[in-house]
Every structure is written in C-alpha cells, then in structure tokens.
Amino acid sequence: GAIGVDHREQIWASIHDSGVVVMDKNKKLLKYFENDPNDKRSLKVKRVNRVLIGPDKNVWLCGRNGISRIDPVTLRVDNFENTPLAKFDRMHVVPLWFTDKNNLWIAASFDGLFHYNLITKELNEVEAFKRYKKDGILDLKIDSSGNIYIGNRAGVQILFRDGRVKELTQKNGLLVDRGEGILIDGHNRV
C-alpha cells in the first residue's frame, strides 16, 4: 500500500485493490474513495500504488487506470477527463514526480516516461527512455539538477539533462539487476 499525509495532517492510505481511505490525525475515518465505473465522480484509479502530495497541496494518486487528483479540503475527485492526462486511463502508472509546481513526470510502467506541463497542458514522451520501455518502470526520481533516475527490471538508467544516458547494472556496481526503489537524500545523493 501507499500512504501520504497532506497539509491538513490528514492521512491518505491505499487499500489493496479497493481504493483509498482518508483519516484525520486521530485516525478517525473521514472518507473512503473507491472505483465505481457507474459514477464519474468516483476514483478512476482501480489499484492505487502511489499517493503523492503535490506542490498544489492536492493528493495525486496513480496506479492501474491512470491518474486521479483529490482536493484534500473539498474531497472532490478530478479524473482528468478531457485533458491530455486521460491518455493514461488504460495504463498502469507508477510513479509520479513533480520537479516543481508546473512540471509533472509520469512513469507508465511498460508504456514509457512522460513529461506534463500543468500550465501549457502539453504532454510529451521522453525520447531517451523509449528503448528501455520493455524493462518497465518500478521507480522514478529526479534530482535537484534535473537528472532523471529510473529503476526497472534491468537496473537503473540515469537520463542526464545534457542528453547522456548512463545504465547501472550488476556489472557496474548494483547488487542486483533490478532497481525497485530510489531515494534522494537532503544532499542530493541518490
């Protein structure tokens, strides 16, 4: 499961294949969101794999069936209908990463890596990653210099801002040929 705590100290927790619950800081249930195909206002994501509190203070959810966003104050669901993000409705998205309030990076498991500008509403696939799609994406992080780190079944790829790509595998330093989780510390070390 995935857990996030919003600016109101509400706890957001995914429930395996069953949606998301919201609790107050005393762990009192406030709301249960589930996927209901007959209700367009319900949660679009069928299996929430990640909970991300965005720079807009909204709760961003991703998993099977794309991306949803929930306002933590009104608890209104936005499923991004009639936007470029609807492209992910039939994909398994995991994870999302904001580099700032206007730029969202989207990892769509075996469908590629994408950049979305929230101001211009422009969605683009990252060309440098296309050859790695077959290996899937297990994790994604971007350091403060703008370098992109992708963990997948074949290791870790680093897409540098200058266009270079570096592959990390067991042959050149990883303990195993699988990049399942990536962390960036306060000193920008990965």
Side-chain angles (χ1 to χ4, degrees), residues 105-144:
W105 296 83
I106 303 160
S109 198
F110 292 97
D111 294 296
L113 178 64
F114 299 83
H115 172 255
Y116 182 65
N117 183 303
L118 279 80
I119 300 296
T120 65
K121 309 285 189 242
E122 191 173 337
L123 177 68
N124 294 302
E125 185 170 2
V126 176
E127 289 293 323
F129 188 74
K130 282 185 175 182
R131 69 183 186 163
Y132 301 105
K133 281 201 257 191
K134 69 184 180 330
D135 297 317
I137 300 175
L138 300 172
D139 203 1
L140 164 75
K141 296 290 186 301
I142 302 173
D143 68 20
S144 63

Side-chain angles (χ1 to χ4, degrees), residues 21-132:
V21 294
V22 185
M23 298 173 280
D24 66 17
K25 63 184 176 184
N26 299 315
K27 298 183 187 79
K28 178 184 173 217
L29 181 66
L30 299 175
K31 180 85 173 173
Y32 169 54
F33 292 95
E34 64 182 325
N35 173 275
D36 179 355
N38 299 318
D39 182 0
K40 285 191 170 277
R41 294 176 296 165
S42 78
L43 188 63
K44 170 179 66 179
V45 180
K46 288 185 180 175
R47 181 179 189 176
V48 176
N49 288 324
R50 301 285 172 102
V51 174
L52 175 67
I53 310 303
D56 58 1
K57 296 187 179 177
N58 286 311
V59 179
W60 290 72
L61 309 169
C62 65
R64 204 170 74 229
N65 269 29
I67 305 166
S68 293
R69 174 177 65 186
I70 302 175
D71 182 313
V73 178
T74 65
L75 300 178
R76 181 171 293 142
V77 177
D78 179 1
N79 286 318
F80 298 104
E81 293 177 346
N82 305 313
T83 75
L85 295 181
K87 171 187 182 85
F88 301 101
D89 286 1
R90 297 192 192 328
M91 295 182 194
H92 185 160
V93 176
V94 76
L96 303 172
W97 187 261
F98 283 95
T99 48
D100 59 41
K101 66 180 181 157
N102 300 325
N103 292 284
L104 174 64
W105 296 83
I106 303 160
S109 198
F110 292 97
D111 294 296
L113 178 64
F114 299 83
H115 172 255
Y116 182 65
N117 183 303
L118 279 80
I119 300 296
T120 65
K121 309 285 189 242
E122 191 173 337
L123 177 68
N124 294 302
E125 185 170 2
V126 176
E127 289 293 323
F129 188 74
K130 282 185 175 182
R131 69 183 186 163
Y132 301 105

Side-chain angles (χ1 to χ4, degrees), residues 11-25:
I11 302 163
W12 297 74
S14 68
I15 302 169
H16 185 71
D17 285 342
S18 298
V20 172
V21 294
V22 185
M23 298 173 280
D24 66 17
K25 63 184 176 184

